[in-house]
Amino acid sequence: MSVERALTAFAGFMVLLSVALTYWVHPNFIWLTVFVGANLFQQSFTGFCPATLFMKRVLGMKTECELASKQ
């Protein structure tokens, strides 16, 4: 799995998790949804996302470009 696909999956999971926590635990968990959305918005312009750095450095995942150049 590439970093780009993993980031999309992670963001979707975090949004669903934050909505569930907002509904069942406490209404202030809505701020987690706001944070994830704002992070995705700024990442679309800057290309910088802390989760991507974690996935590359700690988990050793490759970008789609790196995976395509292997073949």
Side-chain angles (χ1 to χ4, degrees):
M1 178 181 278
S2 69
V3 173
E4 293 86 357
R5 289 181 183 255
L7 180 64
T8 305
F10 179 70
F13 173 76
M14 290 304 294
V15 168
L16 292 174
L17 176 66
S18 65
V19 169
L21 289 171
T22 299
Y23 184 77
W24 282 301
V25 178
H26 195 275
N28 280 337
F29 275 108
I30 195 70
W31 291 107
L32 180 58
T33 308
V34 171
F35 173 75
V36 171
N39 192 25
L40 284 170
F41 185 71
Q42 72 81 27
Q43 190 265 344
S44 69
F45 289 103
T46 65
F48 174 74
C49 181
T52 302
L53 294 176
F54 177 81
M55 289 177 192
K56 285 182 180 178
R57 293 182 183 166
V58 176
L59 301 178
M61 297 181 83
K62 305 287 185 205
T63 63
E64 288 186 6
C65 184
E66 292 170 335
L67 292 173
S69 66
K70 273 181 161 180
Q71 298 173 5

